Amino acid sequence: GEDTKPFTPEKAKEIVMSLQQPAVFCNMVGDWPALHWNAKYLSAVLDGRTIQFRLGLKTMDLVPQFETRCSYVKATLEEFLAWSCGDPTCLSGPFSCYEYSKYWAYADYKYIARIFQDKPEIFQDVRWSDFGFPGRSGKESTLWIGSEGANTPCHLDSYGCNLVLQVQGRKRWHLFPPGDTSFLYPTRIPYEESSVFSKVNVANPDLKRFPEFRNTTAHVVTLSPGQVLLVPRHWWHYVESVDPITVSINSWIELDSDHEARVEEAITRMLVCAIKSAENPSDGDGWLNPTEVEPTSHEINLQYLNKAVSAYFRCPKASMSDRARSSSTGAERRTSSSCKRKKREGGGEPEDCRLLTQESGFSTFEAEKLQKIPFGPHLIQVLPQSQETSSTDGVAVESESRDLLPENEGGHFRKLHCTRKQWVMSNDCEMPAHPMDPDSSPSTSHTALSTNDLLDCLVNPHVISLVAQLLLERTGV
């Protein structure tokens, strides 16, 4: 019949939880009331309520347009729609300082549970139960409303996998696999819980500064209304609004591997906050993303680390599988990097590259499982571009990454109930082993290293993963 969906909830969930490459579900949401959530409809529902918009320049720079470099206004959706249509009344409104031809606007990452808290019945318009997640609705989702060109820098989400429903307009997604992490020059500045940003503007890459970006493999798809994109765990994504107005809804699906990821995030936060807070305030570089209210104290960060470790050991079965997975991911990353270089230098595919699945921990069983995925008209693979295209084509953006911690588990750090802990440092650690020559200074070296340069090394995802494993082994003894 017309109401029959191509996948049962059980089959859809199996695909979501097992597929490790991006794919688009089609014909799964035709009966969802949320498909009517265009900007005009939402404007009527919000009935004059203001929401915050982030504004950025449409001009393309070699540097990512991080959220710390954007402007912000509070406006109604009605005012946003008038501005995007060139309505003269906008000359005196909140968008009056931003010419539509030069700027884009984005009401991004809006918790549906918050903006529609007085209309809880609307939550049921979103039915993630069709994908095998009963009880998950708009209350566990976020809303994104943007104008043409609206974007957020390329990043990966530390937690979960992502389901994204396109409602109005089209968005172009550029996705990069976890194995490309080192080629994307990861950074935690600006700092945001659970978001690892790329230093590369993938829409206009500076290949002189970031030459390894040439080695990335971009998977590109333009998502249309009624389609649902699966973004697997730790896939980088950079997304742009293609049409004049776009609306999308997403929900992050928790995974067992999030237990270890929370330990890694706690370590990262402790290091970033401790080191950046020690800097002279006059040297401030806007290191904290606007999504983070304020830096948290060392005591709060230490408490969060202990909570994350405790939660990890409450799930021993997941813990062991996570450790094995992270180990195999490292092997895959090293092998993949080596293969790309050999292919580029020699023009062919060496034998050890053809054996990548066996050597990297991607087992024959997993390969067979991938072959059983029912790709076709209802489930479309997002295929990689050619090497030449992926490093030169224009791309652009959206960010969808935030904390998956349930609010009753602490959620954002400022909600934690703190207990004062004593931090003890042994005397023999207080002085460096080799004191710096008093005559030496950054100006005498070839490059003056900054705090952020040090942090890019200290909190590199590969380093943090290793530190987390060592810490968990120490704690588990």
Side-chain angles (χ1 to χ4, degrees), residues 388-449:
E388 295 78 14
T389 305
S390 66
S391 63
T392 58
D393 265 14
V395 241
V397 184
E398 158 183 334
S399 85
E400 288 159 356
S401 58
R402 299 304 189 263
D403 190 2
L404 281 175
L405 278 177
E407 294 197 4
N408 61 359
E409 285 287 330
H412 299 289
F413 287 88
R414 63 182 182 275
K415 295 180 181 177
L416 290 176
H417 300 290
C418 309
T419 56
R420 188 169 295 275
K421 292 183 180 291
Q422 187 176 12
W423 186 33
V424 180
M425 177 184 286
S426 59
N427 292 331
D428 60 346
C429 295
E430 293 178 356
M431 294 296 292
H434 303 286
M436 182 180 290
D437 184 340
D439 294 328
S440 67
S441 67
S443 61
T444 63
S445 63
H446 294 291
T447 304
L449 295 172

Side-chain angles (χ1 to χ4, degrees), residues 32 42 136 139 181 202 230 236 263 290 294 358 370 389 467 476:
W32 287 23
L42 292 171
R136 186 179 291 263
K139 190 175 182 180
T181 292
V202 300
L230 165 65
W236 293 83
V263 176
E294 60 185 1
Q358 282 76 22
L370 181 62
T389 305
V467 173

